[in-house]
Amino acid sequence: MEILPAITTTRGSDWKEKIKEAKKLGLKKACFFLTCLNLEQRKDFYELAEEIEAPFVHLRTDMEIWELDYLTEKHKTQVFNLHSYSEFPIVYDYSRYTDKIFIENIYFPLDEKELENFSGICLDFAHLENDRLMEPEKYKHNLKVLDKFKIGCNHISAIGKKVRLDDRNYSRYDKHSFEKLSEFDYLKKYPLKYFSDFTALELENSLEEQFKARKYILSLLK
């Protein structure tokens, strides 16, 4: 199993600095999380990160088709993930890419009818663990759905000891940065069959810190 470091674009992540760090470290491969960038910012991102291979990319539902073409051709992207279109309606026709797109579990229970229109599930382990702790019925539902559909890619974030409010004022344990490596110990609860060949660290931490997290997580999963 390969666990990719990530260049994230959320509020706590300086994506330009991460790209600079990637170049300094000679990093050749990373996951791109493009969810918080508008089109002009994404164009800047593509230009700055043009030498980095991105096997796995988190899309926005308003990204244009040329962007998926570009990522596939230039960055050798093999799989994409999207949030549910119940959360963010899809603007463009992605039918040419449905065999590479997986739907992420987050605020809504996984919808089997929606999943049938794509290749399966992008399983975010921290979101799943948050559901186990806070929404047991949703957790049970999602576990049943996981047994019915392909898990084509994964996100890994940290689980804190205290509830926090996210950007939408939802109370959650999962978070996109870690302070202690033990915040990944929850992963031991989940079977290896839930892990795919495309697993990304969805973390705002520096790439050097992500490398430490990756090493620790791989030791957990032995």
Side-chain angles (χ1 to χ4, degrees):
M1 174 186 16
E2 184 175 27
I3 298 179
L4 294 168
I7 300 173
T8 52
T9 59
T10 41
R11 186 167 54 188
S13 180
D14 186 334
W15 57 271
K16 290 183 180 180
E17 283 301 315
K18 276 197 173 58
I19 293 173
K20 287 181 183 178
E21 185 186 6
K23 292 178 179 179
K24 180 181 177 181
L25 295 172
L27 183 67
K28 301 298 183 183
K29 193 183 297 186
C31 179
F32 295 166
F33 285 78
L34 302 173
T35 42
C36 294
L37 301 183
N38 61 35
L39 179 57
E40 290 307 311
Q41 290 171 320
R42 294 197 301 274
K43 288 179 180 178
D44 289 341
F45 186 108
Y46 300 146
E47 183 176 353
L48 291 171
E50 64 178 356
E51 297 176 2
I52 302 172
E53 186 178 330
F56 175 19
V57 173
H58 190 325
L59 302 174
R60 290 169 54 117
T61 54
D62 63 353
M63 288 175 65
E64 299 178 20
I65 300 300
W66 71 262
E67 296 181 75
L68 279 71
D69 293 340
Y70 174 83
L71 288 162
T72 301
E73 294 165 13
K74 180 68 176 178
H75 295 282
K76 301 181 181 179
T77 304
Q78 298 176 60
V79 295
F80 301 96
N81 85 274
L82 281 172
H83 287 182
S84 168
Y85 49 63
S86 299
E87 185 181 358
F88 295 105
I90 292 175
V91 177
Y92 299 99
D93 179 7
Y94 291 153
S95 57
R96 194 152 50 86
Y97 281 97
T98 52
D99 63 329
K100 294 182 178 181
I101 296 175
F102 297 83
I103 302 300
E104 181 183 352
N105 58 307
I106 182 166
Y107 292 107
F108 298 102
L110 289 168
D111 184 333
E112 293 188 37
K113 290 184 179 179
E114 181 177 11
L115 291 170
E116 288 170 356
N117 293 323
F118 295 93
S119 276
I121 298 165
C122 170
L123 177 59
D124 186 305
F125 284 104
H127 295 334
L128 185 65
E129 179 67 4
N130 183 79
D131 290 341
R132 187 186 72 82
L133 295 168
M134 300 197 71
E135 299 186 71
E137 291 306 313
K138 177 182 167 190
Y139 175 74
K140 291 175 185 176
H141 165 85
N142 283 351
L143 287 183
K144 291 178 181 178
V145 179
L146 289 175
D147 286 334
K148 297 180 182 180
F149 290 86
K150 178 182 177 180
I151 299 171
C153 46
N154 300 95
H155 297 165
I156 293 176
S157 301
I159 291 290
K161 290 188 176 182
K162 296 181 180 180
V163 173
R164 65 175 186 89
L165 290 178
D166 69 6
D167 291 341
R168 301 187 190 184
N169 287 321
Y170 282 88
S171 297
R172 306 188 65 87
Y173 282 98
D174 54 327
K175 55 181 186 167
H176 289 152
S177 63
F178 77 94
E179 297 170 14
K180 298 178 180 179
L181 291 170
S182 58
E183 292 173 344
F184 300 106
D185 286 351
Y186 74 94
L187 291 166
K188 292 186 289 186
K189 294 184 176 75
Y190 296 105
L192 288 177
K193 69 177 183 178
Y194 284 179
F195 291 81
S196 71
D197 291 334
F198 300 94
T199 298
L201 298 174
E202 188 173 4
L203 295 169
E204 296 171 350
N205 299 73
S206 70
L207 293 171
E208 285 201 72
E209 290 175 322
Q210 290 186 44
F211 293 149
K212 293 176 183 177
R214 179 173 65 178
K215 182 178 179 181
Y216 183 78
I217 291 165
L218 287 170
S219 72
L220 290 176
L221 302 178
K222 286 182 178 178

